[in-house]
Every structure is written in structure tokens, then in C-alpha cells.
Amino acid sequence: MQHELEKLRYPIGRFAVPDYIDTQLLQDWIKTIANFPTRIKSEVSGLTDTDLEKRYRPDGWTIKQVVHHCADSHMNSFIRFKLALTEDNPTIKLYEEQHWAELADAKNVSIDSSVKLLEGLHERWETLLTNLSNEQLERTFVHPATKRLISLKVNIGLYAWHCNHHLMHIVNAKNR
């Protein structure tokens, strides 16, 4: 039972930092981030209000909450990138994503607003990411929970994974 829940929670597995991050891998990750709004829009196109209330696992978020979570999370990540690029090893601000997913805007507002937000945000994010120098890719922020330094190049990979992770949640929820 525990293994089944883990598979539902992490359908593509957990993010693992590769031993080596080369230019091609970074370009692939950036492409994943750049294409995310189109892919999520495609996955949710034509879904009814009933469909949007489907969950990818027991006690998991609804499709609607996943879409709004992606907007929330990606806004936070974009800001973290900007902080790391303009400050020396800033400590990022955490947010209680499980509580954000229960707020009225995540439960009661059309997903259209978050899809539009993702389109604009990812357009800017792609421009930022494709113009980072090797030195900028090595810039870091501090994660307050782990006290670890996270490089921007690793965070690009984490957010490419995040895109695919939540897209699979939506696919799985649609099929439940």
C-alpha cells in the first residue's frame, strides 16, 4: 500500500541531481520549462468542472489545485532565481504550499487565470534562463529547511522535473 501511494505521489520518481550537468542537459531542462504552459494547457483543455475536481491520489490535490499550485510554485521559483542573481547566497522564503492549495483562489477560481499567468511567467523565465552565463548558473541560494546551497543550474533541473511531475499528476487524475 505504501509503495502504491509513493508511486501515485511521485509518478515519475523523485528528483535526483545528476553527477554531471552539461550544456545539452541544461538546454533540455530549459526547453521543458519553456514548453510547460503549452503542455499544461493541452492537458486541461476541454475539462469540465467535474473533471477539474478529480484527484491524482487519495487525499491528493484536485487537477484545479495542481494547476494553481504550478502557478504559485513557479512564481516563487522565478523570484528565487532573481534573488540568487542579484544577491550573494540569499536565504529563500519558504511557503506552505499545502495551505496555499486550500485558499479560495486555488479552490474556487477558474484555472484560466493560472494558465495565463504560467504563459507570461514562462516566457520571461525562458528568456532569463537562456541568457545565463556559466558563472550565473553557479550562483546559489540557501534553502532554509536544509541549510544547503542550491545552484541555479540544479534548480533548473528541479523545476523541469516539477513540470513533468505535475503534468503526470494531471494525466493520472484525468484517468481516475
mmCIF file of all heavy atoms in Angstrom, residues 69-93:
data_model
loop_
_atom_site.group_PDB
_atom_site.id
_atom_site.type_symbol
_atom_site.label_atom_id
_atom_site.label_comp_id
_atom_site.label_asym_id
_atom_site.label_seq_id
_atom_site.Cartn_x
_atom_site.Cartn_y
_atom_site.Cartn_z
ATOM 1 N N HIS A 69 -1.346 25.437 -8.116
ATOM 2 C CA HIS A 69 -0.077 25.212 -7.420
ATOM 3 C C HIS A 69 1.109 25.473 -8.351
ATOM 4 O O HIS A 69 2.103 26.072 -7.932
ATOM 5 C CB HIS A 69 0.004 23.782 -6.872
ATOM 6 C CG HIS A 69 1.407 23.364 -6.555
ATOM 7 N ND1 HIS A 69 2.094 23.845 -5.458
ATOM 8 C CD2 HIS A 69 2.258 22.540 -7.211
ATOM 9 C CE1 HIS A 69 3.317 23.321 -5.454
ATOM 10 N NE2 HIS A 69 3.439 22.530 -6.507
ATOM 11 N N CYS A 70 1.008 25.021 -9.585
ATOM 12 C CA CYS A 70 2.115 25.241 -10.520
ATOM 13 C C CYS A 70 2.369 26.738 -10.701
ATOM 14 O O CYS A 70 3.521 27.181 -10.702
ATOM 15 C CB CYS A 70 1.837 24.557 -11.852
ATOM 16 S SG CYS A 70 1.974 22.752 -11.757
ATOM 17 N N ALA A 71 1.320 27.522 -10.826
ATOM 18 C CA ALA A 71 1.496 28.973 -10.940
ATOM 19 C C ALA A 71 2.156 29.526 -9.680
ATOM 20 O O ALA A 71 3.117 30.304 -9.762
ATOM 21 C CB ALA A 71 0.152 29.652 -11.200
ATOM 22 N N ASP A 72 1.666 29.126 -8.516
ATOM 23 C CA ASP A 72 2.249 29.598 -7.249
ATOM 24 C C ASP A 72 3.724 29.207 -7.135
ATOM 25 O O ASP A 72 4.584 30.029 -6.818
ATOM 26 C CB ASP A 72 1.495 29.000 -6.050
ATOM 27 C CG ASP A 72 0.083 29.504 -5.892
ATOM 28 O OD1 ASP A 72 -0.266 30.556 -6.459
ATOM 29 O OD2 ASP A 72 -0.696 28.817 -5.188
ATOM 30 N N SER A 73 3.995 27.942 -7.385
ATOM 31 C CA SER A 73 5.353 27.422 -7.230
ATOM 32 C C SER A 73 6.317 28.061 -8.218
ATOM 33 O O SER A 73 7.436 28.431 -7.853
ATOM 34 C CB SER A 73 5.336 25.902 -7.420
ATOM 35 O OG SER A 73 6.640 25.392 -7.342
ATOM 36 N N HIS A 74 5.892 28.210 -9.457
ATOM 37 C CA HIS A 74 6.783 28.747 -10.471
ATOM 38 C C HIS A 74 7.025 30.233 -10.276
ATOM 39 O O HIS A 74 8.123 30.719 -10.557
ATOM 40 C CB HIS A 74 6.264 28.395 -11.858
ATOM 41 C CG HIS A 74 6.288 26.921 -12.114
ATOM 42 N ND1 HIS A 74 6.121 26.374 -13.362
ATOM 43 C CD2 HIS A 74 6.455 25.861 -11.277
ATOM 44 C CE1 HIS A 74 6.197 25.051 -13.276
ATOM 45 N NE2 HIS A 74 6.385 24.722 -12.014
ATOM 46 N N MET A 75 6.025 30.958 -9.745
ATOM 47 C CA MET A 75 6.270 32.362 -9.383
ATOM 48 C C MET A 75 7.335 32.439 -8.301
ATOM 49 O O MET A 75 8.264 33.248 -8.382
ATOM 50 C CB MET A 75 4.990 33.037 -8.877
ATOM 51 C CG MET A 75 4.017 33.420 -9.944
ATOM 52 S SD MET A 75 2.646 34.426 -9.301
ATOM 53 C CE MET A 75 1.780 33.256 -8.265
ATOM 54 N N ASN A 76 7.212 31.590 -7.289
ATOM 55 C CA ASN A 76 8.204 31.573 -6.210
ATOM 56 C C ASN A 76 9.585 31.226 -6.749
ATOM 57 O O ASN A 76 10.579 31.846 -6.375
ATOM 58 C CB ASN A 76 7.784 30.585 -5.112
ATOM 59 C CG ASN A 76 6.876 31.206 -4.097
ATOM 60 O OD1 ASN A 76 7.308 31.975 -3.251
ATOM 61 N ND2 ASN A 76 5.591 30.889 -4.183
ATOM 62 N N SER A 77 9.660 30.251 -7.631
ATOM 63 C CA SER A 77 10.952 29.847 -8.174
ATOM 64 C C SER A 77 11.576 30.964 -9.006
ATOM 65 O O SER A 77 12.778 31.228 -8.896
ATOM 66 C CB SER A 77 10.812 28.578 -9.019
ATOM 67 O OG SER A 77 12.090 28.159 -9.451
ATOM 68 N N PHE A 78 10.784 31.614 -9.829
ATOM 69 C CA PHE A 78 11.289 32.716 -10.646
ATOM 70 C C PHE A 78 11.892 33.803 -9.748
ATOM 71 O O PHE A 78 12.986 34.308 -10.009
ATOM 72 C CB PHE A 78 10.149 33.281 -11.502
ATOM 73 C CG PHE A 78 10.551 34.382 -12.443
ATOM 74 C CD1 PHE A 78 11.351 34.123 -13.541
ATOM 75 C CD2 PHE A 78 10.111 35.683 -12.238
ATOM 76 C CE1 PHE A 78 11.714 35.136 -14.429
ATOM 77 C CE2 PHE A 78 10.456 36.700 -13.114
ATOM 78 C CZ PHE A 78 11.259 36.427 -14.211
ATOM 79 N N ILE A 79 11.221 34.120 -8.668
ATOM 80 C CA ILE A 79 11.727 35.123 -7.727
ATOM 81 C C ILE A 79 13.022 34.634 -7.080
ATOM 82 O O ILE A 79 13.967 35.403 -6.908
ATOM 83 C CB ILE A 79 10.653 35.480 -6.683
ATOM 84 C CG1 ILE A 79 9.533 36.280 -7.365
ATOM 85 C CG2 ILE A 79 11.250 36.247 -5.501
ATOM 86 C CD1 ILE A 79 8.277 36.441 -6.556
ATOM 87 N N ARG A 80 13.086 33.354 -6.750
ATOM 88 C CA ARG A 80 14.316 32.796 -6.163
ATOM 89 C C ARG A 80 15.492 32.922 -7.132
ATOM 90 O O ARG A 80 16.617 33.222 -6.722
ATOM 91 C CB ARG A 80 14.092 31.346 -5.763
ATOM 92 C CG ARG A 80 13.127 31.210 -4.602
ATOM 93 C CD ARG A 80 12.709 29.776 -4.380
ATOM 94 N NE ARG A 80 11.772 29.690 -3.259
ATOM 95 C CZ ARG A 80 11.098 28.610 -2.948
ATOM 96 N NH1 ARG A 80 11.237 27.491 -3.665
ATOM 97 N NH2 ARG A 80 10.278 28.607 -1.917
ATOM 98 N N PHE A 81 15.234 32.696 -8.413
ATOM 99 C CA PHE A 81 16.283 32.871 -9.412
ATOM 100 C C PHE A 81 16.770 34.309 -9.416
ATOM 101 O O PHE A 81 17.974 34.570 -9.415
ATOM 102 C CB PHE A 81 15.770 32.498 -10.811
ATOM 103 C CG PHE A 81 15.955 31.056 -11.167
ATOM 104 C CD1 PHE A 81 15.024 30.109 -10.774
ATOM 105 C CD2 PHE A 81 17.061 30.635 -11.895
ATOM 106 C CE1 PHE A 81 15.188 28.780 -11.102
ATOM 107 C CE2 PHE A 81 17.233 29.307 -12.230
ATOM 108 C CZ PHE A 81 16.294 28.369 -11.827
ATOM 109 N N LYS A 82 15.828 35.255 -9.417
ATOM 110 C CA LYS A 82 16.201 36.667 -9.455
ATOM 111 C C LYS A 82 16.985 37.071 -8.201
ATOM 112 O O LYS A 82 17.948 37.831 -8.287
ATOM 113 C CB LYS A 82 14.955 37.539 -9.603
ATOM 114 C CG LYS A 82 14.129 37.225 -10.842
ATOM 115 C CD LYS A 82 14.513 38.050 -12.000
ATOM 116 C CE LYS A 82 13.432 39.028 -12.331
ATOM 117 N NZ LYS A 82 13.781 39.883 -13.434
ATOM 118 N N LEU A 83 16.557 36.546 -7.047
ATOM 119 C CA LEU A 83 17.287 36.830 -5.810
ATOM 120 C C LEU A 83 18.709 36.304 -5.888
ATOM 121 O O LEU A 83 19.665 37.001 -5.521
ATOM 122 C CB LEU A 83 16.557 36.238 -4.598
ATOM 123 C CG LEU A 83 15.244 36.914 -4.213
ATOM 124 C CD1 LEU A 83 14.504 36.078 -3.168
ATOM 125 C CD2 LEU A 83 15.482 38.327 -3.711
ATOM 126 N N ALA A 84 18.863 35.067 -6.353
ATOM 127 C CA ALA A 84 20.201 34.471 -6.440
ATOM 128 C C ALA A 84 21.090 35.210 -7.433
ATOM 129 O O ALA A 84 22.311 35.262 -7.259
ATOM 130 C CB ALA A 84 20.097 32.998 -6.815
ATOM 131 N N LEU A 85 20.484 35.789 -8.450
ATOM 132 C CA LEU A 85 21.259 36.529 -9.448
ATOM 133 C C LEU A 85 21.644 37.931 -8.992
ATOM 134 O O LEU A 85 22.578 38.522 -9.540
ATOM 135 C CB LEU A 85 20.471 36.618 -10.765
ATOM 136 C CG LEU A 85 20.355 35.301 -11.528
ATOM 137 C CD1 LEU A 85 19.307 35.410 -12.633
ATOM 138 C CD2 LEU A 85 21.715 34.880 -12.088
ATOM 139 N N THR A 86 20.954 38.446 -8.002
ATOM 140 C CA THR A 86 21.194 39.834 -7.596
ATOM 141 C C THR A 86 21.691 39.987 -6.160
ATOM 142 O O THR A 86 22.003 41.098 -5.744
ATOM 143 C CB THR A 86 19.907 40.670 -7.769
ATOM 144 O OG1 THR A 86 18.860 40.104 -6.973
ATOM 145 C CG2 THR A 86 19.484 40.705 -9.234
ATOM 146 N N GLU A 87 21.738 38.888 -5.420
ATOM 147 C CA GLU A 87 22.228 38.915 -4.045
ATOM 148 C C GLU A 87 23.209 37.753 -3.865
ATOM 149 O O GLU A 87 23.182 36.783 -4.620
ATOM 150 C CB GLU A 87 21.069 38.752 -3.053
ATOM 151 C CG GLU A 87 20.020 39.843 -3.133
ATOM 152 C CD GLU A 87 18.833 39.605 -2.213
ATOM 153 O OE1 GLU A 87 18.949 38.801 -1.258
ATOM 154 O OE2 GLU A 87 17.771 40.203 -2.458
ATOM 155 N N ASP A 88 24.052 37.850 -2.849
ATOM 156 C CA ASP A 88 25.002 36.776 -2.578
ATOM 157 C C ASP A 88 24.392 35.751 -1.633
ATOM 158 O O ASP A 88 24.125 36.055 -0.464
ATOM 159 C CB ASP A 88 26.298 37.337 -1.978
ATOM 160 C CG ASP A 88 27.080 38.142 -2.989
ATOM 161 O OD1 ASP A 88 27.014 37.811 -4.202
ATOM 162 O OD2 ASP A 88 27.762 39.110 -2.591
ATOM 163 N N ASN A 89 24.158 34.556 -2.152
ATOM 164 C CA ASN A 89 23.634 33.422 -1.385
ATOM 165 C C ASN A 89 22.434 33.797 -0.506
ATOM 166 O O ASN A 89 22.433 33.532 0.695
ATOM 167 C CB ASN A 89 24.738 32.797 -0.527
ATOM 168 C CG ASN A 89 25.889 32.307 -1.357
ATOM 169 O OD1 ASN A 89 25.695 31.718 -2.417
ATOM 170 N ND2 ASN A 89 27.101 32.555 -0.895
ATOM 171 N N PRO A 90 21.397 34.379 -1.101
ATOM 172 C CA PRO A 90 20.238 34.745 -0.281
ATOM 173 C C PRO A 90 19.556 33.511 0.289
ATOM 174 O O PRO A 90 19.570 32.442 -0.325
ATOM 175 C CB PRO A 90 19.312 35.450 -1.276
ATOM 176 C CG PRO A 90 19.659 34.840 -2.592
ATOM 177 C CD PRO A 90 21.148 34.591 -2.533
ATOM 178 N N THR A 91 18.980 33.673 1.445
ATOM 179 C CA THR A 91 18.143 32.613 2.017
ATOM 180 C C THR A 91 16.743 32.827 1.471
ATOM 181 O O THR A 91 16.166 33.901 1.637
ATOM 182 C CB THR A 91 18.135 32.677 3.555
ATOM 183 O OG1 THR A 91 19.483 32.490 4.015
ATOM 184 C CG2 THR A 91 17.232 31.604 4.140
ATOM 185 N N ILE A 92 16.230 31.813 0.777
ATOM 186 C CA ILE A 92 14.915 31.945 0.153
ATOM 187 C C ILE A 92 13.818 31.855 1.206
ATOM 188 O O ILE A 92 14.019 31.359 2.303
ATOM 189 C CB ILE A 92 14.691 30.886 -0.948
ATOM 190 C CG1 ILE A 92 14.752 29.472 -0.361
ATOM 191 C CG2 ILE A 92 15.676 31.093 -2.084
ATOM 192 C CD1 ILE A 92 14.256 28.390 -1.285
ATOM 193 N N LYS A 93 12.672 32.339 0.835
ATOM 194 C CA LYS A 93 11.489 32.267 1.679
ATOM 195 C C LYS A 93 10.715 31.023 1.290
ATOM 196 O O LYS A 93 10.398 30.813 0.121
ATOM 197 C CB LYS A 93 10.635 33.519 1.466
ATOM 198 C CG LYS A 93 9.289 33.501 2.134
ATOM 199 C CD LYS A 93 9.407 33.886 3.592
ATOM 200 C CE LYS A 93 8.044 34.076 4.229
ATOM 201 N NZ LYS A 93 7.556 32.907 4.910
#
